[in-house]
Structure formats: C-alpha cells, structure tokens
Amino acid sequence: MAVEGLELAKACAKAADDIQADKIRVWDLRGLSNLTDYMVVCSGTSMPHLRAVLRDVRGTVEEIHGAKPANAEGNADTKWVVLDYIDVMVHVMHEELREYYGLEDLWADAKEIDWK
C-alpha cells in the first residue's frame, strides 16, 4: 500500500532533516487548501545544500516508501523547488526567498504538525 498524507509528510521532513535542511515545518492544510492536505517547508543555505536536500528527499522517500513526486516545479538554481506528491507539497527554498515570500504568514491558520 502506498504511503500517503501525514506519514508521507513526516517522511519528507525526516529526509530533509537527515541532510540538515533548516527550519523544517509541516502544516496540516486540510480544510484550508484545495491543492494539498499537507505542506512541508524547509530551507537550504547554499546552492549545493539545496541540491542535496532535493536529492535526498526525493531519493529517500522513493527508496523507503516507493513514492515519487507527481510533479516538480523549479530547480536548485531558481532557489525554490516544489515537489508535488499530491497529498503533500514539499517546498525546498533558499533561506533568503523563504523570508521574502513568508509562507509561514500565508499559512498562519494551518495547524503545525510535530513531525519528529
């Protein structure tokens, strides 16, 4: 059986944590968004770090859970990549862009999930 929802969100957060992504947060967006149920947001500090986070989140989640993103937008060079797992959206952002766009403020009404 495929991994979905909360379990997938936690797996993505754990994979990001294992490669030392910064400020990892997971939100429950059910009832707030028509696009996804959960959102994972994390930051990288440099272009090589962003590439490593993306590589490891994709690779680890596929290896352990067999889940591949249905779509991906952006690349490390754009400093913001979204991995779309349907039930879970993973935003890997350079810390400067994360501060600029303020996703934490945008989703302030969402319940934060303790993923650890």
Side-chain angles (χ1 to χ4, degrees):
M1 185 166 152
V3 63
E4 294 179 350
L6 182 57
E7 185 180 354
L8 179 58
K10 288 181 177 182
C12 292
K14 170 97 172 68
D17 187 51
D18 288 347
I19 193 67
Q20 299 176 347
D22 291 332
K23 302 176 190 166
I24 302 165
R25 298 185 71 185
V26 178
W27 292 296
D28 182 343
L29 300 181
R30 293 175 297 171
L32 297 174
S33 172
N34 294 331
L35 297 176
T36 192
D37 291 339
Y38 298 93
M39 183 185 306
V40 178
V41 180
C42 63
S43 299
T45 57
S46 66
M47 300 308 278
H49 190 210
L50 288 172
R51 287 184 192 96
V53 171
L54 288 165
R55 178 198 65 221
D56 285 11
V57 169
R58 277 183 150 165
T60 300
V61 170
E62 182 176 352
E63 180 181 321
I64 294 173
H65 299 286
K68 293 181 184 181
N71 195 16
E73 287 292 325
N75 59 55
D77 295 333
T78 64
K79 298 183 181 179
W80 186 353
V81 179
V82 179
L83 301 176
D84 181 358
Y85 289 92
I86 307 299
D87 292 338
V88 178
M89 295 272 201
V90 180
H91 294 259
V92 181
M93 306 175 76
H94 192 279
E95 57 190 2
E96 292 172 1
L97 280 185
R98 184 167 175 179
E99 288 178 30
Y100 180 80
Y101 284 102
L103 293 183
E104 281 84 356
D105 295 332
L106 181 64
W107 296 108
D109 292 340
K111 177 184 174 195
E112 187 159 3
I113 302 294
D114 181 9
W115 57 270
K116 292 183 181 183

